[in-house]
C-alpha cells in the first residue's frame, strides 16, 4: 500500500515558510546593493516578512490541519540546530574563506554597503592598485581603492542581516537556521518517495552526520546553498504535480537566490526549466502565464545580477 504523504496544507505551510525566508534574503541583498543596509530597515523587513507569513497561515486556516509529523520534524530540526550552537564559535579568523565572508558581512553592517576601506587598505592600495588585495584575502581593490568581496553577495547579506539583529551570535544563529531548514526540506522531499520510517532514518543520519554538523560551524556559502537546493527541489516537485503560482514563485525566487549565493547555482535555473518542460501541465501553465512566469522574473534576475 502506498504510504501517505503530508497533507496539502502541510505543503502550503512549508512553501510559504520557505518563500518568506527567501524573500527576506533577497530584500537584504537589495539593501546591500543600494547601500542602505541599516539595522532599522533590516529589522523592519524581518518582522514584516514574519508577520505576513504568520498572518497568511492563519487567514488560510492551514494551522488547524497541520500534521503532528510536520510539527515534529520542524521542532526537532530547530532543536538539533540549537544544540549544535552550544559547541560553535563564529569563524572570524582571516586568511580563509570563512573568515573573509564573516568580515564582509560585518563590514556590510558597519558601512551599510558592500565596498569599504580602512586606513591600512588605502595605504596598500597606493602600492598595488586595483585588483586582488594580497593583504586582505577574499577581497579585491576597486578602481577607487575600496575593498569589495570576491564572494557572491547572497550569503554575505544573510549573515549581515543576522549580525545586524543579534550581534556576533547572529553569525551562529544564521548557520543554525540554515541547518534546520536543510533538515526540514530534505526530509520533505524524501518523504514523497519513501516510507515514513525510512524518511525518519534519513533525517537522523543527516542530523548527526559529521559533514553537515561541521559545515554548520563555519561561515561558508555551502550552508545557504544546501537548504535552497532542497527548497527548489520541493517546489519543483509540487509544481510538477499541481502547477500553481505559489510553488512556481517559490522555485523561481529560491533559484535566483541560489544563483546569488553560489556560482554553481546559475545552473539550477536552466535545469529547473528543463524539468518543468518535461511535464505537460507545467508547460501549459507557463504558456498561459508567460509574462508572469518568464518576462517579469527574468527582469528581476537581470537587475539583481
Amino acid at each position: 500500500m502506498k504510504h501517505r504523504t503530508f497533507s496539502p496544507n502541510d505543503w502550503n505551510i512549508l512553501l510559504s515558510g520557505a518563500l518568506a525566508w527567501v524573500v527576506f534574503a533577497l530584500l537584504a541583498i537589495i539593501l546591500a546593493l543600494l547601500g542602505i543596509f541599516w539595522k532599522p530597515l533590516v529589522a523592519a523587513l524581518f518582522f514584516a516578512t514574519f508577520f505576513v507569513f504568520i498572518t497568511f497561515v492563519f487567514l488560510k486556516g492551514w494551522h488547524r490541519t497541520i500534521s503532528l509529523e510536520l510539527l515534529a520534524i520542524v521542532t526537532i530540526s530547530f532543536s538539533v540546530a540549537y544544540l549544535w550552537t552550544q559547541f560553535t564559535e563564529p569563524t572570524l579568523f582571516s586568511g580563509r574563506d570563512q573568515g573573509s565572508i564573516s568580515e564582509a558581512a560585518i563590514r556590510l553592517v558597519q558601512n551599510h554597503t558592500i565596498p569599504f576601506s580602512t586606513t591600512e587598505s588605502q595605504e596598500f592600495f597606493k602600492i598595488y592598485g586595483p585588483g586582488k588585495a594580497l593583504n586582505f584575502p577574499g577581497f579585491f581593490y576597486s578602481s577607487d581603492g575600496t575593498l569589495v568581496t570576491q564572494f557572491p553577495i547572497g550569503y554575505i547579506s544573510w549573515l549581515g542581516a543576522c549580525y545586524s539583529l543579534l550581534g556576533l551570535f547572529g553569525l551562529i544563529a544564521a548557520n543554525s537556521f540554515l541547518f534546520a531548514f536543510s533538515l526540514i526540506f530534505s526530509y520533505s522531499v524524501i518523504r514523497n518517495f519513501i516510507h515514513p520510517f525510512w524518511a525518519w532514518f534519513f533525517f537522523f543520519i543527516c542530523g548527526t552526520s559529521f559533514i553537515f554538523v561541521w559545515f554548520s560551524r563555519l561561515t561558508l556559502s555551502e550552508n545557504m546553498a544546501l537548504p535552497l537546493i532542497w527548497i527548489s527541489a520541493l517546489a519543483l516537485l509540487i509544481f510538477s504535480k499541481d502547477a500553481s503560482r505559489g510553488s512556481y514563485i517559490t522555485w523561481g525566487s529560491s533559484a535566483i537566490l541560489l544563483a546569488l549565493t553560489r556560482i554553481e547555482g546559475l545552473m539550477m535555473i536552466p535545469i529547473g526549466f528543463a524539468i518543468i518542460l518535461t511535464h505537460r501541465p507545467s508547460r501549459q501553465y507557463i504558456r498561459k502565464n508567460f509574462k508572469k512566469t518568464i518576462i517579469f522574473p527574468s527582469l528581476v534576475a537581470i537587475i539583481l545580477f
Side-chain angles (χ1 to χ4, degrees):
M1 185 176 66
K2 186 178 180 180
H3 58 271
R4 185 172 179 272
T5 59
F6 287 144
S7 69
N9 284 347
D10 286 340
W11 296 126
N12 290 331
I13 292 174
L14 283 168
L15 289 182
S16 298
L19 183 59
W21 169 61
V22 169
V23 168
F24 172 74
L26 288 173
L27 291 174
I29 292 174
I30 293 174
L31 293 183
L33 293 176
L34 294 178
I36 54 174
F37 202 90
W38 302 323
K39 182 177 180 178
L41 277 179
V42 174
L45 288 176
F46 171 78
F47 288 110
T49 52
F50 181 77
F51 176 77
V52 170
F53 165 66
I54 295 297
T55 301
F56 195 72
V57 169
F58 276 83
L59 286 178
K60 290 290 186 177
W62 295 338
H63 63 289
R64 300 192 189 98
T65 57
I66 186 172
S67 67
L68 291 177
E69 182 182 2
L70 180 58
L71 282 174
I73 202 68
V74 170
T75 302
I76 296 174
S77 295
F78 278 99
S79 298
V80 169
Y82 174 77
L83 175 65
W84 294 126
T85 65
Q86 306 306 302
F87 309 97
T88 299
E89 294 293 336
T91 49
L92 299 176
F93 56 91
S94 60
R96 302 296 296 272
D97 289 356
Q98 54 266 41
S100 298
I101 291 173
S102 294
E103 182 178 3
I106 294 172
R107 297 287 187 179
L108 171 60
V109 175
Q110 293 174 343
N111 299 282
H112 317 299
T113 187
I114 291 295
F116 72 94
S117 65
T118 65
T119 303
E120 294 80 5
S121 69
Q122 288 294 332
E123 292 301 319
F124 281 113
F125 175 73
K126 294 176 183 178
I127 301 172
Y128 297 107
K132 189 173 183 180
L134 300 177
N135 299 90
F136 300 89
F139 295 91
F140 282 92
Y141 280 118
S142 61
S143 58
D144 63 353
T146 55
L147 290 168
V148 181
T149 179
Q150 71 178 39
F151 298 98
I153 193 175
Y155 182 56
I156 292 172
S157 298
W158 166 247
L159 285 179
C162 294
Y163 179 81
S164 176
L165 297 174
L166 299 173
L168 200 57
F169 179 76
L171 301 180
I172 300 174
N175 274 356
S176 298
F177 180 90
L178 297 176
F179 184 37
F181 255 40
S182 299
L183 293 176
I184 292 169
F185 286 95
S186 61
Y187 177 89
S188 301
V189 171
I190 296 299
R191 185 66 174 79
N192 280 272
F193 303 103
I194 61 178
H195 190 275
F197 174 82
W198 295 112
W200 277 103
F201 181 74
F202 168 84
F203 174 82
F204 174 79
I205 294 297
C206 290
T208 58
S209 172
F210 170 78
I211 186 64
F212 295 123
V213 173
W214 177 253
F215 264 93
S216 67
R217 295 165 58 90
L218 307 174
T219 47
L220 292 168
S221 57
E222 287 86 346
N223 289 307
M224 191 163 182
L226 186 59
L228 286 172
I229 289 174
W230 286 114
I231 290 171
S232 298
L234 180 64
L236 277 178
L237 183 62
I238 295 176
F239 185 73
S240 65
K241 293 181 179 180
D242 179 23
S244 63
R245 182 171 56 182
S247 56
Y248 184 83
I249 292 176
T250 303
W251 168 74
S253 57
S254 61
I256 291 174
L257 181 57
L258 179 59
L260 293 168
T261 302
R262 296 281 301 179
I263 296 299
E264 303 90 333
L266 286 169
M267 290 304 300
M268 295 303 295
I269 297 177
I271 290 174
F273 273 117
I275 295 173
I276 288 173
L277 294 177
T278 59
H279 295 82
R280 179 177 297 177
S282 302
R283 290 198 304 270
Q284 293 175 344
Y285 180 87
I286 297 296
R287 190 180 300 114
K288 291 179 180 178
N289 303 275
F290 188 77
K291 290 183 178 180
K292 295 180 180 179
T293 58
I294 302 296
I295 302 299
F296 179 72
S298 297
L299 290 175
V300 172
I302 290 171
I303 292 171
L304 285 174
F305 282 116

